[in-house]
Amino acid sequence: MRSYSLIAPAKINLDLEIIGDRPDGYHELVMILQSIGLADQIDLYSLSTENIRIHCNHPQVPTDKSNLAYRAAELMATKFPEAFSNYGGVDITIKKQIPVAAGLAGGSTNAAAVLVGIDLLWNLGLTQSELEELGAILGSDVPFCIAGGTAIATGRGEKLSPLLPSLAPLHIVLAKYRSLEVSTPWAYKTYRQEFSSSYIRDSNSLAARANAVHSSAIVKAILQQDAAEIAQKLHNDLERVVLPAYPQVLQLRELFAAQPGVLGTMMSGSGPTVFAIAKSPEQAEAVKLSVRQAIPDEDLELFVTQTITHGIQVASTPKGEIKN
Ligand code: ATP
């Protein structure tokens, strides 16, 4: 096989708690991550030369070495130099649907797709945990994006514990202003400045706190497939710094909360995307329409999607084509 097409889903956070500092400068987190149907398509072709090339239809996405998908391919080339020289380089086309810098792990899921795709392209036969280990080198959200579904994530987000059986679909509405970006480092730094006095300091208490999430109310609601209860228990510590600084995000949050048919609403990751859980697909469409009428600004993007039970998927195994 000389080319693959992969589907790379976005994620939302059903829970994001900052519980402490880490010696590596990151935070100790407790999160519940959830894959959603909104996804990018990643097409990979083997090249006859040892190059890595990126193409993307979105003007805000870099096509140089700063693209996380490029770094994923480079990591594979470094880790598997023999396969790289046998099979050649790779041409990567990213068809972007996921809003950029949105708290939806767009770059991370692209990198995850490149790891999965190159494993296939080069016949490496890596296990999921080997792929996740490689993913953790690239970014905290990459390991989750590989298997996807619903998972508890601890550490800096790379230690995963899948929540099974799979969650029945929740109906999701997403809202993001195209031109509004929130810097993830800014959000965490500001949180540290304002709230680090509440951080847990000793490692035993941190481990106990991270472990306690397994018996938390939201995890129970997920295991019981109780959409209304999940929606009531949504939580994101970063709202404490992002909502006061970004009134547009707060406005979306309040507008969602006021809609009939909305079970709950929350910001995803470090924002600025806000999502709502609706009672049904019809209600989700009605919420989207109503928010669009309340804010007719073209800069506001709205999506209706649902939660899904998988991460990276192979969409098609192609035709033996080699690009030069
Ligand atoms: P996370 O939820 O993991 O914090 P995010 O959804 O907030 O991620 P991304 O969409 O990954 O953010 O984009 C963050 C920055 O990374 C953007 O400003 C963009 O320039 C850069 N970037 C690098 N590679 C990619 C990629 N493949 N897709 C999107 N953005 C990328």
Side-chain angles (χ1 to χ4, degrees):
M1 289 297 172
R2 309 305 295 161
S3 76
Y4 281 91
S5 198
L6 300 113
I7 302 300
K11 63 89 186 148
I12 53 174
N13 294 78
L14 302 178
D15 187 27
L16 191 164
E17 297 168 65
I18 300 172
I19 61 169
D21 258 326
R22 293 166 58 95
D24 60 10
Y26 288 90
H27 279 96
E28 285 290 340
L29 303 174
V30 172
M31 299 191 287
I32 300 173
L33 302 173
Q34 173 63 58
S35 303
I36 55 172
L38 180 67
D40 293 339
Q41 183 180 321
I42 310 291
D43 296 335
L44 299 181
Y45 286 88
S46 282
L47 292 169
S48 56
T49 54
E50 288 192 10
N51 290 322
I52 298 166
R53 283 196 217 138
I54 302 268
H55 317 270
C56 185
N57 59 339
H58 194 298
Q60 266 168 277
V61 175
T63 52
D64 60 9
K65 291 186 179 204
S66 65
N67 193 304
L68 211 49
Y70 185 103
R71 288 181 35 221
E74 195 175 47
L75 178 68
M76 293 299 266
T78 311
K79 294 279 179 187
F80 306 100
E82 217 170 288
F84 185 44
S85 61
N86 285 345
Y87 288 94
V90 57
D91 181 281
I92 303 167
T93 300
I94 302 169
K95 294 177 183 151
K96 260 281 156 214
Q97 302 283 341
I98 304 170
V100 176
L104 297 173
S108 301
T109 193
N110 293 174
V114 169
L115 296 180
V116 171
I118 290 183
D119 174 51
L120 295 168
L121 213 51
W122 295 354
N123 290 316
L124 295 171
L126 298 175
T127 62
Q128 186 176 301
S129 75
E130 286 168 332
L131 287 166
E132 285 177 4
E133 259 173 57
L134 290 166
I137 299 170
L138 297 163
S140 311
D141 285 341
V142 181
F144 169 75
C145 292
I146 292 170
T150 313
I152 293 171
T154 55
R156 58 184 174 91
E158 85 292 5
K159 286 187 210 152
L160 299 173
S161 174
L163 287 172
L164 294 167
S166 296
L167 191 58
L170 298 174
H171 308 290
I172 306 289
V173 190
L174 299 166
K176 179 187 182 277
Y177 285 96
R178 273 190 194 84
S179 59
L180 189 64
E181 289 189 14
V182 175
S183 149
T184 303
W186 169 85
Y188 280 99
K189 199 178 82 194
T190 309
Y191 192 90
R192 180 180 284 123
Q193 280 162 1
E194 292 184 23
F195 301 110
S196 63
S197 59
S198 65
Y199 288 2
I200 300 170
R201 305 277 162 200
D202 83 280
S203 53
N204 286 342
S205 309
L206 271 174
R209 176 68 190 75
N211 210 27
V213 69
H214 290 268
S215 48
S216 66
I218 188 163
V219 167
K220 280 186 193 144
I222 290 167
L223 296 176
Q224 287 165 1
Q225 311 263 341
D226 184 340
E229 185 63 9
I230 294 168
Q232 284 305 304
K233 297 288 185 266
L234 297 171
H235 180 85
N236 184 345
D237 274 340
L238 290 173
E239 285 199 336
R240 296 170 80 184
V241 292
V242 177
L243 297 188
Y246 292 87
Q248 283 174 297
V249 181
L250 178 62
Q251 185 203 17
L252 285 175
R253 179 85 163 66
E254 288 175 344
L255 194 56
F256 269 150
Q259 300 303 311
V262 165
L263 298 170
T265 176
M266 191 59 49
M267 185 179 82
S268 184
S270 56
T273 301
V274 177
F275 68 93
I277 300 179
K279 281 186 190 152
S280 65
E282 296 75 25
Q283 298 266 28
E285 290 294 345
V287 169
K288 178 181 165 186
L289 191 65
S290 164
V291 171
R292 170 59 68 215
Q293 281 163 353
I295 309 177
D297 186 345
E298 277 182 16
D299 196 42
L300 180 66
E301 288 184 287
L302 290 160
F303 304 87
V304 167
T305 184
Q306 59 178 30
T307 61
I308 57 171
T309 58
H310 60 81
I312 305 303
Q313 279 194 325
V314 178
S316 65
T317 51
K319 321 106 203 161
E321 184 176 340
I322 301 180
K323 277 193 178 179
N324 287 304

